[in-house]
Amino acid sequence: MDRAIEVMMKRRSTRNFLAEQIPEESLQKILAAGLQAATAMNRQSWHLTVVQDAQLLDAISQAVGAVLVDSGVPSLNDRAQEPEFHTFYQAPTVVFVSTDGSSYSLADCANATQNMTLAATALDLGSCYIGSFVQAFKHKQGKELLNRFSLPIGYRPVFAVALGYDSDPSFEIKTREWKVSYIR
Ligand SMILES: Cc1cc2nc3c(=O)[nH]c(=O)nc-3n(C[C@H](O)[C@H](O)[C@H](O)COP(=O)(O)O)c2cc1C
Protein backbone atom coordinates (compact mmCIF):
# COMPACT_ATOMS: atom_id res chain seq x y z
CA MET A 1 0.00 0.00 0.00
CA ASP A 2 1.13 3.53 -0.70
CA ARG A 3 2.86 4.80 2.47
CA ALA A 4 0.64 7.90 2.88
CA ILE A 5 -2.54 5.85 2.44
CA GLU A 6 -1.21 3.24 4.84
CA VAL A 7 -0.69 5.91 7.52
CA MET A 8 -4.24 7.24 7.01
CA MET A 9 -5.65 3.72 7.31
CA LYS A 10 -3.62 3.02 10.44
CA ARG A 11 -4.56 6.19 12.33
CA ARG A 12 -6.77 5.50 15.31
CA SER A 13 -7.45 7.21 18.62
CA THR A 14 -5.14 6.12 21.41
CA ARG A 15 -6.47 6.34 24.93
CA ASN A 16 -3.78 4.34 26.71
CA PHE A 17 -0.51 6.22 26.83
CA LEU A 18 2.76 5.23 28.41
CA ALA A 19 4.31 7.83 30.72
CA GLU A 20 7.49 8.00 28.59
CA GLN A 21 7.89 11.35 26.83
CA ILE A 22 8.03 11.45 23.02
CA PRO A 23 11.34 12.42 21.38
CA GLU A 24 11.77 16.14 20.69
CA GLU A 25 12.60 15.33 17.06
CA SER A 26 9.25 13.57 16.65
CA LEU A 27 7.42 16.47 18.28
CA GLN A 28 9.02 18.93 15.86
CA LYS A 29 8.03 16.76 12.88
CA ILE A 30 4.45 16.55 14.15
CA LEU A 31 4.25 20.32 14.63
CA ALA A 32 5.70 20.91 11.15
CA ALA A 33 3.06 18.57 9.70
CA GLY A 34 0.33 20.53 11.50
CA LEU A 35 1.66 23.81 10.15
CA GLN A 36 1.76 22.29 6.64
CA ALA A 37 -2.03 21.90 6.54
CA ALA A 38 -4.25 23.70 4.06
CA THR A 39 -5.80 26.94 5.34
CA ALA A 40 -8.56 29.01 3.78
CA MET A 41 -7.07 31.95 1.86
CA ASN A 42 -3.73 30.89 3.31
CA ARG A 43 -4.68 32.70 6.51
CA GLN A 44 -2.91 30.22 8.82
CA SER A 45 -5.53 31.18 11.35
CA TRP A 46 -4.25 28.83 14.05
CA HIS A 47 -1.82 28.95 16.94
CA LEU A 48 -0.26 25.80 18.41
CA THR A 49 0.58 25.47 22.10
CA VAL A 50 2.67 22.49 23.20
CA VAL A 51 2.02 21.50 26.81
CA GLN A 52 4.37 18.99 28.46
CA ASP A 53 3.60 20.18 31.97
CA ALA A 54 1.69 17.29 33.57
CA GLN A 55 0.42 19.50 36.39
CA LEU A 56 -1.17 21.93 33.95
CA LEU A 57 -2.76 19.07 31.98
CA ASP A 58 -4.08 17.57 35.22
CA ALA A 59 -5.50 20.94 36.24
CA ILE A 60 -7.28 21.38 32.89
CA SER A 61 -8.65 17.86 33.18
CA GLN A 62 -9.90 18.65 36.70
CA ALA A 63 -11.60 21.79 35.36
CA VAL A 64 -13.33 19.61 32.74
CA GLY A 65 -14.40 17.31 35.57
CA ALA A 66 -15.82 20.32 37.46
CA VAL A 67 -17.86 21.28 34.38
CA LEU A 68 -19.23 17.74 34.12
CA VAL A 69 -20.17 17.73 37.82
CA ASP A 70 -21.79 21.21 37.53
CA SER A 71 -23.85 20.00 34.56
CA GLY A 72 -26.11 18.07 36.93
CA VAL A 73 -26.34 15.25 34.39
CA PRO A 74 -25.91 12.02 36.41
CA SER A 75 -24.00 10.14 33.68
CA LEU A 76 -21.54 13.05 33.23
CA ASN A 77 -21.13 13.38 36.99
CA ASP A 78 -20.38 9.64 37.21
CA ARG A 79 -17.82 9.93 34.42
CA ALA A 80 -16.03 12.77 36.18
CA GLN A 81 -15.89 10.72 39.39
CA GLU A 82 -14.21 7.74 37.73
CA PRO A 83 -10.73 7.34 39.27
CA GLU A 84 -9.10 7.04 35.86
CA PHE A 85 -10.91 10.09 34.42
CA HIS A 86 -8.44 12.25 32.53
CA THR A 87 -9.42 14.35 29.55
CA PHE A 88 -6.01 13.79 27.94
CA TYR A 89 -5.63 10.16 29.02
CA GLN A 90 -2.40 11.06 30.88
CA ALA A 91 -0.62 11.68 27.56
CA PRO A 92 2.84 13.18 28.21
CA THR A 93 2.41 15.76 25.43
CA VAL A 94 -0.68 17.66 24.34
CA VAL A 95 -0.69 20.14 21.46
CA PHE A 96 -3.54 22.64 21.71
CA VAL A 97 -4.81 24.21 18.51
CA SER A 98 -6.32 27.69 18.88
CA THR A 99 -8.48 29.58 16.41
CA ASP A 100 -8.39 33.28 15.64
CA GLY A 101 -12.17 33.11 15.22
CA SER A 102 -12.16 34.12 11.54
CA SER A 103 -14.45 32.42 9.06
CA TYR A 104 -13.15 28.98 8.02
CA SER A 105 -10.72 29.02 10.93
CA LEU A 106 -12.33 25.97 12.51
CA ALA A 107 -11.62 24.08 9.29
CA ASP A 108 -8.03 25.38 9.33
CA CYS A 109 -7.64 24.19 12.92
CA ALA A 110 -9.22 20.80 12.19
CA ASN A 111 -6.90 20.29 9.22
CA ALA A 112 -3.84 21.05 11.32
CA THR A 113 -5.07 18.76 14.08
CA GLN A 114 -5.71 15.88 11.71
CA ASN A 115 -2.30 16.38 10.07
CA MET A 116 -0.67 16.05 13.47
CA THR A 117 -2.50 12.81 14.25
CA LEU A 118 -1.37 11.41 10.90
CA ALA A 119 2.22 12.50 11.48
CA ALA A 120 2.13 10.81 14.89
CA THR A 121 0.89 7.60 13.27
CA ALA A 122 3.68 7.78 10.68
CA LEU A 123 6.17 8.05 13.54
CA ASP A 124 4.64 5.04 15.34
CA LEU A 125 3.27 7.23 18.10
CA GLY A 126 -0.20 7.16 19.55
CA SER A 127 -2.48 10.18 19.28
CA CYS A 128 -5.98 11.23 20.20
CA TYR A 129 -7.89 14.14 18.69
CA ILE A 130 -9.58 15.92 21.61
CA GLY A 131 -12.29 18.55 21.74
CA SER A 132 -13.94 17.97 25.10
CA PHE A 133 -11.48 20.11 27.08
CA VAL A 134 -12.88 23.33 25.59
CA GLN A 135 -15.64 23.66 28.15
CA ALA A 136 -13.05 23.76 30.94
CA PHE A 137 -11.81 27.18 29.87
CA LYS A 138 -15.32 28.61 30.26
CA HIS A 139 -15.38 27.43 33.89
CA LYS A 140 -14.10 29.82 36.58
CA GLN A 141 -11.38 27.31 37.50
CA GLY A 142 -10.34 26.96 33.86
CA LYS A 143 -10.24 30.63 32.88
CA GLU A 144 -7.15 31.15 35.03
CA LEU A 145 -5.46 28.14 33.44
CA LEU A 146 -5.99 29.58 30.00
CA ASN A 147 -3.93 32.62 31.02
CA ARG A 148 -0.93 30.27 31.15
CA PHE A 149 -1.22 29.87 27.37
CA SER A 150 -0.44 33.56 26.70
CA LEU A 151 -2.27 33.24 23.39
CA PRO A 152 -2.20 36.02 20.81
CA ILE A 153 -5.17 38.38 21.35
CA GLY A 154 -8.43 36.97 20.01
CA TYR A 155 -7.33 33.33 19.92
CA ARG A 156 -9.04 30.50 21.82
CA PRO A 157 -8.28 26.76 21.93
CA VAL A 158 -10.68 24.54 20.01
CA PHE A 159 -8.93 21.20 19.51
CA ALA A 160 -6.00 19.32 20.95
CA VAL A 161 -3.90 16.30 20.06
CA ALA A 162 -2.78 14.05 22.88
CA LEU A 163 0.53 12.41 21.96
CA GLY A 164 2.59 9.60 23.42
CA TYR A 165 3.55 5.98 23.08
CA ASP A 166 0.52 3.72 22.75
CA SER A 167 0.54 1.00 25.41
CA ASP A 168 -1.59 -1.20 23.16
CA PRO A 169 -0.74 -0.50 19.52
CA SER A 170 -3.16 -2.30 17.24
CA PHE A 171 -5.43 -1.30 14.43
CA GLU A 172 -8.25 -2.54 12.34
CA ILE A 173 -9.38 -1.22 8.99
CA LYS A 174 -12.83 0.29 9.36
CA THR A 175 -15.22 -0.46 6.55
CA ARG A 176 -17.63 2.38 5.94
CA GLU A 177 -18.54 1.96 2.30
CA TRP A 178 -22.20 2.70 3.02
CA LYS A 179 -21.16 6.29 3.73
CA VAL A 180 -20.34 6.78 0.02
CA SER A 181 -22.74 7.43 -2.85
CA TYR A 182 -21.80 7.59 -6.53
CA ILE A 183 -23.39 9.53 -9.37
CA ARG A 184 -21.76 8.34 -12.58
C1 LIG B 1 -13.48 17.21 16.52
C2 LIG B 1 -13.16 15.94 17.29
C3 LIG B 1 -13.23 15.96 18.68
C4 LIG B 1 -12.91 14.81 19.40
N1 LIG B 1 -12.91 14.88 20.77
C5 LIG B 1 -12.58 13.79 21.49
C6 LIG B 1 -12.50 13.87 22.89
O1 LIG B 1 -12.74 14.89 23.51
N2 LIG B 1 -12.12 12.76 23.57
C7 LIG B 1 -11.83 11.58 22.93
O2 LIG B 1 -11.49 10.61 23.60
N3 LIG B 1 -11.88 11.48 21.59
C8 LIG B 1 -12.25 12.56 20.85
N4 LIG B 1 -12.26 12.49 19.49
C9 LIG B 1 -11.88 11.23 18.82
C10 LIG B 1 -13.10 10.47 18.32
O3 LIG B 1 -13.83 9.97 19.40
C11 LIG B 1 -12.63 9.32 17.39
O4 LIG B 1 -11.95 9.87 16.29
C12 LIG B 1 -13.76 8.47 16.90
O5 LIG B 1 -14.39 7.78 17.95
C13 LIG B 1 -13.30 7.43 15.86
O6 LIG B 1 -12.27 6.61 16.38
P1 LIG B 1 -10.82 6.55 15.72
O7 LIG B 1 -10.20 7.92 15.85
O8 LIG B 1 -10.07 5.51 16.49
O9 LIG B 1 -11.00 6.20 14.28
C14 LIG B 1 -12.57 13.61 18.72
C15 LIG B 1 -12.50 13.62 17.33
C16 LIG B 1 -12.78 14.76 16.62
C17 LIG B 1 -12.67 14.74 15.11
Side-chain angles (χ1 to χ4, degrees):
M1 207 186 297
D2 177 87
R3 174 73 179 136
I5 304 283
E6 186 188 335
V7 167
M8 285 181 233
M9 300 308 281
K10 277 180 87 172
R11 186 215 57 80
R12 58 186 274 279
S13 297
T14 300
R15 296 187 179 89
N16 293 294
F17 292 100
L18 298 178
E20 185 184 346
Q21 188 53 274
I22 64 171
E24 180 64 23
E25 192 189 356
S26 300
L27 172 64
Q28 293 306 322
K29 284 181 182 170
I30 291 166
L31 296 173
L35 297 172
Q36 195 67 22
T39 59
M41 291 169 276
N42 195 20
R43 273 195 185 134
Q44 299 156 42
S45 68
W46 19 239
H47 185 89
L48 307 185
T49 307
V50 179
V51 179
Q52 295 182 319
D53 176 338
Q55 281 183 338
L56 178 57
L57 294 174
D58 289 349
I60 297 170
S61 181
Q62 281 161 20
V64 173
V67 172
L68 297 182
V69 170
D70 287 358
S71 73
V73 179
S75 61
L76 297 181
N77 181 62
D78 290 351
R79 217 186 123 215
Q81 306 293 344
E82 286 167 8
E84 73 278 12
F85 173 79
H86 198 281
T87 305
F88 307 106
Y89 307 102
Q90 313 275 7
T93 295
V94 179
V95 182
F96 290 83
V97 183
S98 296
T99 173
D100 70 358
S102 60
S103 54
Y104 297 116
S105 181
L106 275 185
D108 295 347
C109 290
N111 291 348
T113 308
Q114 176 74 357
N115 264 19
M116 289 192 278
T117 65
L118 292 171
T121 306
L123 295 165
D124 290 323
L125 292 171
S127 66
C128 190
Y129 200 127
I130 300 197
S132 58
F133 69 88
V134 168
Q135 46 201 326
F137 294 133
K138 293 173 187 155
H139 195 271
K140 190 173 147 272
Q141 198 177 327
K143 277 185 188 157
E144 289 156 27
L145 299 171
L146 187 55
N147 291 337
R148 292 274 310 274
F149 282 59
S150 302
L151 286 170
I153 291 167
Y155 282 73
R156 64 185 165 86
V158 281
F159 305 123
V161 189
L163 296 165
Y165 289 99
D166 190 340
S167 69
D168 176 26
S170 63
F171 85 101
E172 56 182 273
I173 303 280
K174 305 146 192 155
T175 49
R176 293 168 174 162
E177 297 91 346
W178 64 90
K179 286 287 192 182
V180 183
S181 303
Y182 299 87
I183 302 173
R184 285 172 165 161

